[in-house]
Amino acid sequence: MSDDKLYIVLMGLPARGKSTLALRLLEAFRKDHIRTRIFNNGNLRRIYRPLDETSRAEFYSPRNFAAIALRDKFARMNMERARSYLRNSGQVAILDATNASRRRRETIETYLNDHPLLFIECINDDQEILNLSILEKTRLPEFSHLEYKKAEAEFLKRIDYYKLIYTPLKMERNFVCLDSLQNRIIKEKHTDPIYLFARLRDYLVTDEVKNLFLIRHTQTEYNLEDRIGGNPGLTIKGKEQAEALAQFFCAKKISYIFTSSKIRTKRTAEAIASKQDYCRIIALKEFDEINAGICEGMTYAEIEKKMPDVFRAREANKYAYAYPEGESYATMKPRIEEGIKKAFFLNRHSHNIMIIGHQAVNRLILSHFLYRREVDVPYIYIPQDRFYHIVSMQNKKLFELKRYDKYFYKKTA
Ligand code: F6P
């Protein structure tokens, strides 16, 4: 058995991030000049069968024997194609399908026996992420002929059918179970030596970002008064800044904007989204500004005057100090990390990702990609007339603070 070639067989229920992972691996291997191709059963299904048939849950019923035969046929077609790809110049063949039953996986192991084979199970049971992923799925062309509620019901039923035959990886010779939201390996088993595995393992657990545009919401009344927290809207200048941002980004393709649940980030995002062809705003509570507890809505001067102990304690250790009944940078950090994972999971195949957050939030997001000592994190510069452009790839790191307001200044000059 030659060991410099590899079959990667994905496995997992629908909407668990398999195709996103397949694309990530494809890009990563290709960057290393490793010839890689994806073989996706769903694509064959969509090419060879009418959409009205394959979008229906019944097509996935374990009692629909005609459909089972068709699905087996597409799986076999992809196995043959993958085998012939590796027999020729290909090095890595990624088979992207649900592969939920042990029966299907046995067939794959038996047929693809000329090179090592690694199963990767994608697991993610975060309900909020699942709901959002399902919403995205039902917007695909496959469901375009169905109204949204119907598409959602069909998709959920499809998942239930797959659950009936789902057996987790166990007997297979080589496998990795991956938490596809956290990019964390939960379990692994190795029987055969896999030459590319060290490289692959590293890809699986790396958060890479092509272009992250990290923006702070534009000016609010509270900002003018140096007042913290609350849920204020934008000032006139804030609206103009949002327009300038929209103008600046209109030539870039932004498919998703992730915001907090606060009005100021949503309004900033709405202005930007209005100048994009297709852009969805997804509000994540994880990106809400630091909760200032009993100090919410106060100005810094008021806190210093009315609660000098709070003011001084925070000054003495701003990273670790938690406002009474509120948060510190340290306690916020896990939820910000969770927000980053969710945003990256949902952003899927788009190369540009935009987050519109707040001062403390953006400091923590920045420090996720750019190392800063904890004591310095609460002082990272987060202006409202600039944004951070971050590229964080295995072979490239870039952080630039950029102005977006040339249009704004031109307009008001
Ligand atoms: O002042 C704007 C703001 O976003 C407040 O809502 C928040 O409490 C503060 O910034 C966080 O910054 P710092 O940690 O420097 O007080």
Side-chain angles (χ1 to χ4, degrees), residues 74-112:
F74 296 138
R76 171 63 72 149
M77 272 168 84
N78 266 336
M79 282 187 250
E80 279 162 11
R81 289 175 183 191
R83 203 178 150 108
S84 119
Y85 177 61
L86 292 201
R87 193 178 301 136
N88 293 300
S89 61
Q91 289 170 282
V92 177
I94 304 176
L95 288 95
D96 179 9
T98 313
N99 297 321
S101 71
R102 173 73 194 131
R103 179 186 68 89
R104 165 70 66 75
R105 298 196 301 268
E106 257 172 336
T107 314
I108 295 175
E109 273 190 327
T110 310
Y111 186 73
L112 300 179

Side-chain angles (χ1 to χ4, degrees), residues 55-56 138 143 146-156:
S55 59
R56 302 278 170 189
T138 54
F143 291 103
L146 297 178
E147 55 140 351
Y148 164 64
K149 274 284 157 207
K150 178 78 184 143
E152 186 192 25
E154 293 292 326
F155 197 77
L156 287 172

Side-chain angles (χ1 to χ4, degrees), residues 365-372 380 388 399:
I365 295 176
L366 259 180
S367 66
H368 175 88
F369 295 101
L370 172 71
Y371 175 73
R372 279 280 185 279
I380 299 175
Y388 280 95
F399 291 86

Side-chain angles (χ1 to χ4, degrees), residues 99-209:
N99 297 321
S101 71
R102 173 73 194 131
R103 179 186 68 89
R104 165 70 66 75
R105 298 196 301 268
E106 257 172 336
T107 314
I108 295 175
E109 273 190 327
T110 310
Y111 186 73
L112 300 179
N113 60 0
D114 51 343
H115 297 288
L117 186 153
L118 176 78
F119 285 98
I120 304 180
E121 181 172 4
C122 291
I123 299 170
N124 159 37
D125 288 320
D126 181 301
Q127 205 47 52
E128 186 190 357
I129 289 293
L130 270 180
N131 293 344
L132 288 165
S133 301
I134 290 167
L135 183 69
E136 292 309 308
K137 291 265 180 197
T138 54
R139 288 167 192 257
L140 293 174
E142 183 173 358
F143 291 103
S144 56
H145 59 290
L146 297 178
E147 55 140 351
Y148 164 64
K149 274 284 157 207
K150 178 78 184 143
E152 186 192 25
E154 293 292 326
F155 197 77
L156 287 172
K157 193 148 180 231
R158 181 193 304 192
I159 295 179
D160 286 342
Y161 278 143
Y162 274 118
K163 281 185 181 164
L164 293 175
I165 56 157
Y166 193 91
T167 40
L169 296 175
K170 185 170 176 196
M171 315 291 286
E172 289 69 14
R173 293 176 65 79
N174 310 297
F175 68 78
V176 168
C177 299
L178 183 78
D179 177 333
S180 51
L181 178 62
Q182 306 290 341
N183 288 344
R184 187 169 57 84
I185 292 178
I186 302 167
K187 200 161 77 183
E188 50 191 310
K189 173 178 161 192
H190 302 282
T191 308
D192 306 311
I194 296 180
Y195 164 74
L196 286 170
F197 189 70
R199 192 80 200 90
L200 173 65
R201 198 184 191 290
D202 217 24
Y203 293 149
L204 291 177
V205 299
T206 308
D207 286 331
E208 290 211 316
V209 56

Side-chain angles (χ1 to χ4, degrees), residues 216 223 227-229 264 289-290 300 314 318 323 329 359-360 363 378:
R216 183 175 169 197
N223 293 145
R227 206 172 279 288
I228 66 175
R264 52 199 186 277
E289 182 53 311
I290 188 168
Y300 289 108
R314 190 163 194 262
K318 199 173 169 190
Y323 283 104
Y329 277 85
Q359 179 152 253
R363 285 173 176 153

